[in-house]
Amino acid sequence: MGLRIDTQDVLFNLEEHLKIERLLGAERYKGLSMDDLRLILEEARKMAVEVLAPTNAPCDRQGARFEGGKVTLPHELVEAYEKFVEAGWIGLGFDASAGGSPVPHVLGVAVVEMFVAANTSFNMYPGLSRGVASLLLAYGNEQQRSYVPRLLSGEWSGTMCLTEPQAGSALGDLTSSAERDGDHYLIRGTKIFISAGEHDLTENILHLVLARTPHAPPGTKGISIFLVPKYRIDENGNPGANNEVVCAGLEEKLGIKASATCVLKFGESGPCHGYLIGQEQEGMSIMFHLMNEARLATGLQGLALGSAAYHAALDYARERVQGVDLRSFKDPLAERVAILEHPDVRRMLMDQKSMVEGLRAMLLRTALYLDLAETSPDEAERERCQDLVDLLTPVWKAFASDQGFRVTEQALQCFGGYGYIKDYPAEQYLRDCKIASIYEGTNGIQALDLLGRKLGRKGGRLVMGLMEELDRFLGAEQDHPSLGAELGRLAALKDRLLQTILSFGSAQASGDFLHPALSAVPFLHMFGHLVCAWQLLEQAVEAEGRLNALYFAEGAATAEEQEALLARNEKAVYYRNKGLTARHYVRHYLPQAHALAEAIESGDRSALEVRF
Ligand SMILES: Cc1cc2nc3c(=O)[nH]c(=O)nc-3n(C[C@H](O)[C@H](O)[C@H](O)COP(=O)(O)OP(=O)(O)OC[C@H]3O[C@@H](n4cnc5c(N)ncnc54)[C@H](O)[C@@H]3O)c2cc1C
């Protein structure tokens, strides 16, 4: 069962909904045309489907192995990495001066969705290299920036080393230390759960390590960030002496098995040199640069695996014959039908389809804001879009990873018993997806970020900025002939969400921080549903206009002529389905958002009062 990528939906998002051609006017993308972007997407699809996807199950079966102090990756992964690197995919989106090829973020997100769907474990390695490269470009000194081309060419790779046994969500409790020793620092400490911490893919690994300098204040304020190479870098810029970063073991885990999750010991067996990035005690704010990017990538994991799982389930439902059509259930000799004909299977598939398309629309919209925040010629517009990115980052990370996981679970259900066994990909998608709600800040922490930091920032301007976007859409489409009821439901949820925000404000004003914290995750899900529904309805309006234009162009005026066109024209079917998908989302998921609001509004504090 091969990987299916929904190129049609991706292209609709990019070209017809978000109209990304407008981004190509920016100086940064000079010389790039829409044809170039389409070609990149097609090449990415081929890399995903032909090179990476066939390695997915073998990588899962073999996993990363730890023997004699060394980490060995499945040979399929190593061979795929060589092809990936040769094609230059790691540098996509970076400036040419850094060794990359600039493209809009929104395109980069669409490309990475394909790679993650094809082999999530694999993508951890280039993904971390990209993150480290981006951080060094933003905060590194000249020498540190000079390592970026090595990361983007795939010769070297990167990691982010935050977690310690006693410091996971609470990074302020970390104890790794860094003591100045001439032009470098001596790093000591143990980091756990470090993805790509040790492997045989690249000739050097650049670790970004959070540690404390002597006499630094307690908590996150006292944390600094260091570049710690696996092999020290000599005067010619090449890997030299061993830097005493020792891999003490690998975690055995539920999914992403070929991603090496390492225990790393720094400076235990000899001096380990680290090089300060930025200034002492700026570690957390600098690491946030990487963590914000990583959060976007983690949400993407939910979308990518949800989409791959949904398409696998759809293919299976078309092929698997079981039972008879409900209308002939009394006839034991009635023709056996594919399970796709059963209403409950169709419900499950439509839940998956509408969630996946809603997530994709939300993620690509957020990526577009990121592009506009960087390239818009208007300063106020850049700030407005950055505010929207800041607001939506925790929603994207947590909503997409939670909902993507639920999609993989529902996809598995569509396979029946065959979903539970390894002959089909459903169970691997589910296992590989689960980690996305845990790493890069658990989803509970994302919800507290939304509630505690983002809602009140700039006097509430971030959230009001998003509401203005919704109001503009609702105002423009209020008389829409076919989607009026759905738009009304969107407006009602928006009002309810604002009411909930006000209730949090009053609770906090009266000194009650516990009930808002108790409600943070349900609130984030209300928020996510609102954004997905808004984006799907925008898409439905766009698609309906295009479908009508198609009917007109093809002379399909009557219902019969339109049906005949739908029978032969794939694009017409896609446009029509978009309206149905948006309607399904609004009618099936928005009531769940209202139920979440009702639970929050009840003010119930049982979870706080119960004696466990
Ligand atoms: C496969 C894998 C790969 C990883 N890769 C990396 C990596 O490359 N680099 C790295 O540094 N780390 C990595 N991690 C670590 C990961 O980021 C942490 O596991 C995560 O941040 C949670 O920390 P913890 O496991 O200590 O859980 P804890 O912090 O102990 O959390 C346990 C539970 O309590 C909740 N909780 C904790 N504190 C609060 C709070 N204040 N308010 C509300 N709820 C709270 C959490 O939401 C969670 O549900 C990885 C982990 C795994 C499993």
Side-chain angles (χ1 to χ4, degrees), residues 124 128 159-165 167-170 192-196 253 256 261 435 438-445 448:
M124 296 292 285
L128 279 155
T159 74
M160 48 195 287
C161 300
L162 293 74
T163 308
E164 297 179 7
S169 300
I192 61 165
F193 294 156
I194 305 308
S195 301
K253 52 196 195 301
I256 56 165
T261 307
I435 186 59
I438 297 170
Y439 57 16
E440 303 314 338
T442 63
N443 285 0
I445 299 295
L448 291 178

PDB file of all heavy atoms in Angstrom, residues 124 128 159-165 167-170 192-196 253 256 261 435 438-445 448, ligand 1:
ATOM      1  N   MET A 124      13.492  13.617  11.025  1.00  0.00           N
ATOM      2  CA  MET A 124      14.046  14.217  12.243  1.00  0.00           C
ATOM      3  C   MET A 124      15.472  14.722  11.999  1.00  0.00           C
ATOM      4  O   MET A 124      15.878  15.752  12.548  1.00  0.00           O
ATOM      5  CB  MET A 124      14.087  13.188  13.376  1.00  0.00           C
ATOM      6  CG  MET A 124      12.741  12.689  13.838  1.00  0.00           C
ATOM      7  SD  MET A 124      11.761  13.918  14.675  1.00  0.00           S
ATOM      8  CE  MET A 124      12.580  13.986  16.262  1.00  0.00           C
ATOM      9  N   LEU A 128      16.280  18.725  12.215  1.00  0.00           N
ATOM     10  CA  LEU A 128      17.088  19.323  13.283  1.00  0.00           C
ATOM     11  C   LEU A 128      18.265  20.115  12.696  1.00  0.00           C
ATOM     12  O   LEU A 128      18.618  21.181  13.208  1.00  0.00           O
ATOM     13  CB  LEU A 128      17.579  18.238  14.237  1.00  0.00           C
ATOM     14  CG  LEU A 128      16.502  17.853  15.256  1.00  0.00           C
ATOM     15  CD1 LEU A 128      16.697  16.442  15.776  1.00  0.00           C
ATOM     16  CD2 LEU A 128      16.463  18.857  16.405  1.00  0.00           C
ATOM     17  N   THR A 159      21.526  19.082  16.715  1.00  0.00           N
ATOM     18  CA  THR A 159      20.567  18.624  17.733  1.00  0.00           C
ATOM     19  C   THR A 159      20.187  19.809  18.610  1.00  0.00           C
ATOM     20  O   THR A 159      20.870  20.835  18.611  1.00  0.00           O
ATOM     21  CB  THR A 159      21.168  17.572  18.695  1.00  0.00           C
ATOM     22  OG1 THR A 159      22.069  18.239  19.589  1.00  0.00           O
ATOM     23  CG2 THR A 159      21.868  16.460  17.962  1.00  0.00           C
ATOM     24  N   MET A 160      19.136  19.636  19.377  1.00  0.00           N
ATOM     25  CA  MET A 160      18.823  20.593  20.440  1.00  0.00           C
ATOM     26  C   MET A 160      18.799  19.827  21.762  1.00  0.00           C
ATOM     27  O   MET A 160      18.035  18.871  21.930  1.00  0.00           O
ATOM     28  CB  MET A 160      17.527  21.353  20.163  1.00  0.00           C
ATOM     29  CG  MET A 160      16.349  20.525  19.748  1.00  0.00           C
ATOM     30  SD  MET A 160      15.011  21.514  19.034  1.00  0.00           S
ATOM     31  CE  MET A 160      14.369  22.327  20.492  1.00  0.00           C
ATOM     32  N   CYS A 161      19.671  20.251  22.695  1.00  0.00           N
ATOM     33  CA  CYS A 161      19.846  19.514  23.957  1.00  0.00           C
ATOM     34  C   CYS A 161      19.320  20.357  25.112  1.00  0.00           C
ATOM     35  O   CYS A 161      20.039  21.199  25.678  1.00  0.00           O
ATOM     36  CB  CYS A 161      21.320  19.202  24.177  1.00  0.00           C
ATOM     37  SG  CYS A 161      22.033  18.213  22.873  1.00  0.00           S
ATOM     38  N   LEU A 162      18.048  20.124  25.438  1.00  0.00           N
ATOM     39  CA  LEU A 162      17.420  20.871  26.528  1.00  0.00           C
ATOM     40  C   LEU A 162      17.158  19.956  27.724  1.00  0.00           C
ATOM     41  O   LEU A 162      17.516  20.264  28.857  1.00  0.00           O
ATOM     42  CB  LEU A 162      16.076  21.458  26.063  1.00  0.00           C
ATOM     43  CG  LEU A 162      16.060  22.547  24.998  1.00  0.00           C
ATOM     44  CD1 LEU A 162      16.366  22.012  23.623  1.00  0.00           C
ATOM     45  CD2 LEU A 162      14.720  23.236  24.979  1.00  0.00           C
ATOM     46  N   THR A 163      16.530  18.809  27.438  1.00  0.00           N
ATOM     47  CA  THR A 163      15.925  18.001  28.498  1.00  0.00           C
ATOM     48  C   THR A 163      16.959  17.299  29.376  1.00  0.00           C
ATOM     49  O   THR A 163      17.951  16.768  28.878  1.00  0.00           O
ATOM     50  CB  THR A 163      14.985  16.958  27.858  1.00  0.00           C
ATOM     51  OG1 THR A 163      14.101  17.640  26.978  1.00  0.00           O
ATOM     52  CG2 THR A 163      14.189  16.205  28.898  1.00  0.00           C
ATOM     53  N   GLU A 164      16.690  17.292  30.672  1.00  0.00           N
ATOM     54  CA  GLU A 164      17.479  16.522  31.641  1.00  0.00           C
ATOM     55  C   GLU A 164      16.488  15.687  32.450  1.00  0.00           C
ATOM     56  O   GLU A 164      15.280  15.973  32.431  1.00  0.00           O
ATOM     57  CB  GLU A 164      18.268  17.478  32.549  1.00  0.00           C
ATOM     58  CG  GLU A 164      19.273  18.306  31.757  1.00  0.00           C
ATOM     59  CD  GLU A 164      20.069  19.295  32.613  1.00  0.00           C
ATOM     60  OE1 GLU A 164      19.936  19.256  33.857  1.00  0.00           O
ATOM     61  OE2 GLU A 164      20.795  20.101  32.020  1.00  0.00           O
ATOM     62  N   PRO A 165      16.995  14.695  33.177  1.00  0.00           N
ATOM     63  CA  PRO A 165      16.035  13.814  33.873  1.00  0.00           C
ATOM     64  C   PRO A 165      15.050  14.586  34.751  1.00  0.00           C
ATOM     65  O   PRO A 165      13.861  14.251  34.799  1.00  0.00           O
ATOM     66  CB  PRO A 165      16.944  12.913  34.713  1.00  0.00           C
ATOM     67  CG  PRO A 165      18.235  12.871  33.954  1.00  0.00           C
ATOM     68  CD  PRO A 165      18.379  14.213  33.312  1.00  0.00           C
ATOM     69  N   ALA A 167      14.442  17.905  34.470  1.00  0.00           N
ATOM     70  CA  ALA A 167      14.024  19.155  33.824  1.00  0.00           C
ATOM     71  C   ALA A 167      13.498  18.873  32.425  1.00  0.00           C
ATOM     72  O   ALA A 167      14.258  18.795  31.457  1.00  0.00           O
ATOM     73  CB  ALA A 167      15.201  20.128  33.766  1.00  0.00           C
ATOM     74  N   GLY A 168      12.175  18.657  32.337  1.00  0.00           N
ATOM     75  CA  GLY A 168      11.537  18.442  31.042  1.00  0.00           C
ATOM     76  C   GLY A 168      10.731  19.683  30.701  1.00  0.00           C
ATOM     77  O   GLY A 168      11.241  20.642  30.099  1.00  0.00           O
ATOM     78  N   SER A 169       9.461  19.706  31.154  1.00  0.00           N
ATOM     79  CA  SER A 169       8.654  20.917  30.934  1.00  0.00           C
ATOM     80  C   SER A 169       9.260  22.100  31.683  1.00  0.00           C
ATOM     81  O   SER A 169       9.223  23.239  31.207  1.00  0.00           O
ATOM     82  CB  SER A 169       7.225  20.688  31.429  1.00  0.00           C
ATOM     83  OG  SER A 169       6.643  19.614  30.743  1.00  0.00           O
ATOM     84  N   ALA A 170       9.807  21.832  32.867  1.00  0.00           N
ATOM     85  CA  ALA A 170      10.370  22.920  33.686  1.00  0.00           C
ATOM     86  C   ALA A 170      11.863  23.050  33.399  1.00  0.00           C
ATOM     87  O   ALA A 170      12.715  22.588  34.166  1.00  0.00           O
ATOM     88  CB  ALA A 170      10.122  22.631  35.161  1.00  0.00           C
ATOM     89  N   ILE A 192      18.952  14.049  28.304  1.00  0.00           N
ATOM     90  CA  ILE A 192      18.247  12.820  27.901  1.00  0.00           C
ATOM     91  C   ILE A 192      17.270  13.115  26.766  1.00  0.00           C
ATOM     92  O   ILE A 192      16.926  14.284  26.530  1.00  0.00           O
ATOM     93  CB  ILE A 192      17.484  12.174  29.084  1.00  0.00           C
ATOM     94  CG1 ILE A 192      16.419  13.137  29.625  1.00  0.00           C
ATOM     95  CG2 ILE A 192      18.438  11.757  30.190  1.00  0.00           C
ATOM     96  CD1 ILE A 192      15.392  12.468  30.520  1.00  0.00           C
ATOM     97  N   PHE A 193      16.837  12.055  26.115  1.00  0.00           N
ATOM     98  CA  PHE A 193      15.828  12.160  25.041  1.00  0.00           C
ATOM     99  C   PHE A 193      16.320  13.009  23.869  1.00  0.00           C
ATOM    100  O   PHE A 193      15.511  13.705  23.241  1.00  0.00           O
ATOM    101  CB  PHE A 193      14.517  12.777  25.558  1.00  0.00           C
ATOM    102  CG  PHE A 193      13.752  11.971  26.556  1.00  0.00           C
ATOM    103  CD1 PHE A 193      12.875  12.593  27.441  1.00  0.00           C
ATOM    104  CD2 PHE A 193      13.857  10.603  26.606  1.00  0.00           C
ATOM    105  CE1 PHE A 193      12.129  11.858  28.354  1.00  0.00           C
ATOM    106  CE2 PHE A 193      13.116   9.848  27.519  1.00  0.00           C
ATOM    107  CZ  PHE A 193      12.253  10.480  28.394  1.00  0.00           C
ATOM    108  N   ILE A 194      17.617  13.006  23.580  1.00  0.00           N
ATOM    109  CA  ILE A 194      18.112  13.907  22.529  1.00  0.00           C
ATOM    110  C   ILE A 194      18.000  13.249  21.149  1.00  0.00           C
ATOM    111  O   ILE A 194      18.716  12.293  20.835  1.00  0.00           O
ATOM    112  CB  ILE A 194      19.570  14.355  22.824  1.00  0.00           C
ATOM    113  CG1 ILE A 194      19.630  14.992  24.220  1.00  0.00           C
ATOM    114  CG2 ILE A 194      20.069  15.311  21.751  1.00  0.00           C
ATOM    115  CD1 ILE A 194      18.611  16.108  24.471  1.00  0.00           C
ATOM    116  N   SER A 195      17.092  13.794  20.343  1.00  0.00           N
ATOM    117  CA  SER A 195      16.863  13.246  19.005  1.00  0.00           C
ATOM    118  C   SER A 195      18.087  13.504  18.141  1.00  0.00           C
ATOM    119  O   SER A 195      18.649  14.610  18.166  1.00  0.00           O
ATOM    120  CB  SER A 195      15.652  13.920  18.357  1.00  0.00           C
ATOM    121  OG  SER A 195      14.518  13.727  19.148  1.00  0.00           O
ATOM    122  N   ALA A 196      18.480  12.501  17.382  1.00  0.00           N
ATOM    123  CA  ALA A 196      19.629  12.594  16.462  1.00  0.00           C
ATOM    124  C   ALA A 196      20.926  12.888  17.213  1.00  0.00           C
ATOM    125  O   ALA A 196      21.887  13.396  16.633  1.00  0.00           O
ATOM    126  CB  ALA A 196      19.387  13.654  15.388  1.00  0.00           C
ATOM    127  N   LYS A 253      11.378   2.897  22.176  1.00  0.00           N
ATOM    128  CA  LYS A 253      10.158   3.697  22.272  1.00  0.00           C
ATOM    129  C   LYS A 253       9.024   3.232  21.368  1.00  0.00           C
ATOM    130  O   LYS A 253       9.198   2.334  20.559  1.00  0.00           O
ATOM    131  CB  LYS A 253      10.483   5.177  22.039  1.00  0.00           C
ATOM    132  CG  LYS A 253      11.252   5.481  20.781  1.00  0.00           C
ATOM    133  CD  LYS A 253      11.842   6.873  20.884  1.00  0.00           C
ATOM    134  CE  LYS A 253      12.304   7.384  19.539  1.00  0.00           C
ATOM    135  NZ  LYS A 253      13.320   6.535  18.881  1.00  0.00           N
ATOM    136  N   ILE A 256       8.519   6.442  15.909  1.00  0.00           N
ATOM    137  CA  ILE A 256       9.715   7.050  15.271  1.00  0.00           C
ATOM    138  C   ILE A 256      10.984   6.292  15.684  1.00  0.00           C
ATOM    139  O   ILE A 256      11.938   6.867  16.199  1.00  0.00           O
ATOM    140  CB  ILE A 256       9.814   8.576  15.497  1.00  0.00           C
ATOM    141  CG1 ILE A 256       9.809   8.986  16.958  1.00  0.00           C
ATOM    142  CG2 ILE A 256       8.741   9.320  14.755  1.00  0.00           C
ATOM    143  CD1 ILE A 256      10.268  10.453  17.176  1.00  0.00           C
ATOM    144  N   THR A 261      17.037   8.368  19.825  1.00  0.00           N
ATOM    145  CA  THR A 261      16.710   9.202  20.992  1.00  0.00           C
ATOM    146  C   THR A 261      17.741   8.871  22.074  1.00  0.00           C
ATOM    147  O   THR A 261      17.682   7.812  22.691  1.00  0.00           O
ATOM    148  CB  THR A 261      15.278   8.886  21.481  1.00  0.00           C
ATOM    149  OG1 THR A 261      14.385   9.007  20.363  1.00  0.00           O
ATOM    150  CG2 THR A 261      14.841   9.831  22.572  1.00  0.00           C
ATOM    151  N   ILE A 435       4.101  11.061  19.457  1.00  0.00           N
ATOM    152  CA  ILE A 435       5.139  11.877  20.091  1.00  0.00           C
ATOM    153  C   ILE A 435       4.925  13.384  19.854  1.00  0.00           C
ATOM    154  O   ILE A 435       5.355  14.224  20.651  1.00  0.00           O
ATOM    155  CB  ILE A 435       6.547  11.447  19.592  1.00  0.00           C
ATOM    156  CG1 ILE A 435       7.665  12.173  20.354  1.00  0.00           C
ATOM    157  CG2 ILE A 435       6.712  11.635  18.096  1.00  0.00           C
ATOM    158  CD1 ILE A 435       7.671  11.957  21.832  1.00  0.00           C
ATOM    159  N   ILE A 438       3.841  15.487  22.606  1.00  0.00           N
ATOM    160  CA  ILE A 438       4.691  15.452  23.807  1.00  0.00           C
ATOM    161  C   ILE A 438       5.942  16.314  23.673  1.00  0.00           C
ATOM    162  O   ILE A 438       6.236  17.135  24.538  1.00  0.00           O
ATOM    163  CB  ILE A 438       5.088  13.987  24.128  1.00  0.00           C
ATOM    164  CG1 ILE A 438       3.834  13.173  24.462  1.00  0.00           C
ATOM    165  CG2 ILE A 438       6.088  13.933  25.283  1.00  0.00           C
ATOM    166  CD1 ILE A 438       4.065  11.674  24.565  1.00  0.00           C
ATOM    167  N   TYR A 439       6.674  16.136  22.553  1.00  0.00           N
ATOM    168  CA  TYR A 439       7.929  16.926  22.505  1.00  0.00           C
ATOM    169  C   TYR A 439       7.695  18.352  21.985  1.00  0.00           C
ATOM    170  O   TYR A 439       6.605  18.693  21.587  1.00  0.00           O
ATOM    171  CB  TYR A 439       9.068  16.199  21.799  1.00  0.00           C
ATOM    172  CG  TYR A 439       8.921  15.710  20.374  1.00  0.00           C
ATOM    173  CD1 TYR A 439       7.926  16.132  19.515  1.00  0.00           C
ATOM    174  CD2 TYR A 439       9.851  14.792  19.881  1.00  0.00           C
ATOM    175  CE1 TYR A 439       7.863  15.669  18.215  1.00  0.00           C
ATOM    176  CE2 TYR A 439       9.794  14.323  18.583  1.00  0.00           C
ATOM    177  CZ  TYR A 439       8.791  14.769  17.758  1.00  0.00           C
ATOM    178  OH  TYR A 439       8.726  14.307  16.483  1.00  0.00           O
ATOM    179  N   GLU A 440       8.753  19.133  22.075  1.00  0.00           N
ATOM    180  CA  GLU A 440       8.696  20.592  21.773  1.00  0.00           C
ATOM    181  C   GLU A 440       7.732  21.315  22.698  1.00  0.00           C
ATOM    182  O   GLU A 440       7.052  22.250  22.292  1.00  0.00           O
ATOM    183  CB  GLU A 440       8.289  20.863  20.311  1.00  0.00           C
ATOM    184  CG  GLU A 440       9.148  20.228  19.269  1.00  0.00           C
ATOM    185  CD  GLU A 440      10.630  20.397  19.509  1.00  0.00           C
ATOM    186  OE1 GLU A 440      11.012  21.335  20.223  1.00  0.00           O
ATOM    187  OE2 GLU A 440      11.397  19.566  19.008  1.00  0.00           O
ATOM    188  N   GLY A 441       7.667  20.896  23.947  1.00  0.00           N
ATOM    189  CA  GLY A 441       6.711  21.480  24.894  1.00  0.00           C
ATOM    190  C   GLY A 441       5.425  20.702  24.774  1.00  0.00           C
ATOM    191  O   GLY A 441       4.792  20.714  23.703  1.00  0.00           O
ATOM    192  N   THR A 442       5.028  20.002  25.823  1.00  0.00           N
ATOM    193  CA  THR A 442       3.816  19.179  25.732  1.00  0.00           C
ATOM    194  C   THR A 442       2.623  20.064  25.370  1.00  0.00           C
ATOM    195  O   THR A 442       2.670  21.297  25.520  1.00  0.00           O
ATOM    196  CB  THR A 442       3.506  18.506  27.086  1.00  0.00           C
ATOM    197  OG1 THR A 442       3.235  19.540  28.036  1.00  0.00           O
ATOM    198  CG2 THR A 442       4.651  17.639  27.570  1.00  0.00           C
ATOM    199  N   ASN A 443       1.551  19.419  24.930  1.00  0.00           N
ATOM    200  CA  ASN A 443       0.393  20.216  24.528  1.00  0.00           C
ATOM    201  C   ASN A 443      -0.235  20.951  25.709  1.00  0.00           C
ATOM    202  O   ASN A 443      -0.842  22.016  25.536  1.00  0.00           O
ATOM    203  CB  ASN A 443      -0.610  19.331  23.787  1.00  0.00           C
ATOM    204  CG  ASN A 443      -0.118  19.026  22.380  1.00  0.00           C
ATOM    205  OD1 ASN A 443       0.964  19.485  21.992  1.00  0.00           O
ATOM    206  ND2 ASN A 443      -0.894  18.273  21.617  1.00  0.00           N
ATOM    207  N   GLY A 444      -0.076  20.390  26.899  1.00  0.00           N
ATOM    208  CA  GLY A 444      -0.542  21.116  28.089  1.00  0.00           C
ATOM    209  C   GLY A 444       0.217  22.429  28.249  1.00  0.00           C
ATOM    210  O   GLY A 444      -0.374  23.472  28.576  1.00  0.00           O
ATOM    211  N   ILE A 445       1.515  22.378  27.983  1.00  0.00           N
ATOM    212  CA  ILE A 445       2.331  23.596  28.105  1.00  0.00           C
ATOM    213  C   ILE A 445       1.973  24.586  26.987  1.00  0.00           C
ATOM    214  O   ILE A 445       1.928  25.802  27.202  1.00  0.00           O
ATOM    215  CB  ILE A 445       3.837  23.229  28.066  1.00  0.00           C
ATOM    216  CG1 ILE A 445       4.201  22.300  29.244  1.00  0.00           C
ATOM    217  CG2 ILE A 445       4.723  24.466  28.031  1.00  0.00           C
ATOM    218  CD1 ILE A 445       4.078  22.898  30.633  1.00  0.00           C
ATOM    219  N   LEU A 448      -1.073  26.490  28.022  1.00  0.00           N
ATOM    220  CA  LEU A 448      -0.775  27.533  29.020  1.00  0.00           C
ATOM    221  C   LEU A 448      -0.100  28.729  28.352  1.00  0.00           C
ATOM    222  O   LEU A 448      -0.314  29.878  28.744  1.00  0.00           O
ATOM    223  CB  LEU A 448       0.128  26.967  30.118  1.00  0.00           C
ATOM    224  CG  LEU A 448      -0.529  25.932  31.044  1.00  0.00           C
ATOM    225  CD1 LEU A 448       0.471  25.410  32.063  1.00  0.00           C
ATOM    226  CD2 LEU A 448      -1.749  26.517  31.754  1.00  0.00           C
TER     227      LEU A 448
HETATM  228  C1  LIG B   1      11.026  10.636  21.296  1.00  0.00           C
HETATM  229  C2  LIG B   1      11.416  11.873  22.037  1.00  0.00           C
HETATM  230  C3  LIG B   1      12.256  12.789  21.425  1.00  0.00           C
HETATM  231  C4  LIG B   1      12.667  13.932  22.127  1.00  0.00           C
HETATM  232  N1  LIG B   1      13.569  14.789  21.551  1.00  0.00           N
HETATM  233  C5  LIG B   1      14.115  15.779  22.312  1.00  0.00           C
HETATM  234  C6  LIG B   1      15.206  16.564  21.832  1.00  0.00           C
HETATM  235  O1  LIG B   1      15.665  16.391  20.696  1.00  0.00           O
HETATM  236  N2  LIG B   1      15.749  17.487  22.657  1.00  0.00           N
HETATM  237  C7  LIG B   1      15.287  17.707  23.928  1.00  0.00           C
HETATM  238  O2  LIG B   1      15.832  18.546  24.615  1.00  0.00           O
HETATM  239  N3  LIG B   1      14.234  16.996  24.399  1.00  0.00           N
HETATM  240  C8  LIG B   1      13.647  16.035  23.635  1.00  0.00           C
HETATM  241  N4  LIG B   1      12.605  15.287  24.121  1.00  0.00           N
HETATM  242  C9  LIG B   1      12.094  15.583  25.453  1.00  0.00           C
HETATM  243  C10 LIG B   1      10.722  16.226  25.418  1.00  0.00           C
HETATM  244  O3  LIG B   1      10.806  17.536  24.930  1.00  0.00           O
HETATM  245  C11 LIG B   1      10.168  16.142  26.857  1.00  0.00           C
HETATM  246  O4  LIG B   1       9.863  14.785  27.079  1.00  0.00           O
HETATM  247  C12 LIG B   1       8.956  17.018  27.053  1.00  0.00           C
HETATM  248  O5  LIG B   1       9.316  18.368  27.015  1.00  0.00           O
HETATM  249  C13 LIG B   1       8.242  16.726  28.383  1.00  0.00           C
HETATM  250  O6  LIG B   1       9.132  16.667  29.452  1.00  0.00           O
HETATM  251  P1  LIG B   1       9.061  15.407  30.440  1.00  0.00           P
HETATM  252  O7  LIG B   1       9.151  14.184  29.609  1.00  0.00           O
HETATM  253  O8  LIG B   1      10.077  15.608  31.490  1.00  0.00           O
HETATM  254  O9  LIG B   1       7.618  15.447  31.037  1.00  0.00           O
HETATM  255  P2  LIG B   1       7.121  16.294  32.302  1.00  0.00           P
HETATM  256  O10 LIG B   1       7.596  17.695  32.187  1.00  0.00           O
HETATM  257  O11 LIG B   1       7.425  15.551  33.536  1.00  0.00           O
HETATM  258  O12 LIG B   1       5.547  16.289  32.060  1.00  0.00           O
HETATM  259  C14 LIG B   1       4.688  15.206  32.434  1.00  0.00           C
HETATM  260  C15 LIG B   1       3.243  15.672  32.285  1.00  0.00           C
HETATM  261  O13 LIG B   1       3.002  16.756  33.188  1.00  0.00           O
HETATM  262  C16 LIG B   1       2.555  17.896  32.491  1.00  0.00           C
HETATM  263  N5  LIG B   1       3.151  19.095  33.088  1.00  0.00           N
HETATM  264  C17 LIG B   1       4.414  19.256  33.514  1.00  0.00           C
HETATM  265  N6  LIG B   1       4.579  20.498  34.004  1.00  0.00           N
HETATM  266  C18 LIG B   1       3.419  21.131  33.867  1.00  0.00           C
HETATM  267  C19 LIG B   1       2.945  22.434  34.185  1.00  0.00           C
HETATM  268  N7  LIG B   1       3.723  23.370  34.712  1.00  0.00           N
HETATM  269  N8  LIG B   1       1.663  22.730  33.931  1.00  0.00           N
HETATM  270  C20 LIG B   1       0.853  21.824  33.364  1.00  0.00           C
HETATM  271  N9  LIG B   1       1.236  20.583  33.029  1.00  0.00           N
HETATM  272  C21 LIG B   1       2.505  20.237  33.281  1.00  0.00           C
HETATM  273  C22 LIG B   1       3.002  17.713  31.051  1.00  0.00           C
HETATM  274  O14 LIG B   1       2.157  18.408  30.143  1.00  0.00           O
HETATM  275  C23 LIG B   1       2.908  16.197  30.898  1.00  0.00           C
HETATM  276  O15 LIG B   1       1.604  15.840  30.552  1.00  0.00           O
HETATM  277  C24 LIG B   1      12.165  14.173  23.424  1.00  0.00           C
HETATM  278  C25 LIG B   1      11.286  13.255  24.016  1.00  0.00           C
HETATM  279  C26 LIG B   1      10.938  12.107  23.345  1.00  0.00           C
HETATM  280  C27 LIG B   1      10.050  11.113  24.043  1.00  0.00           C
END
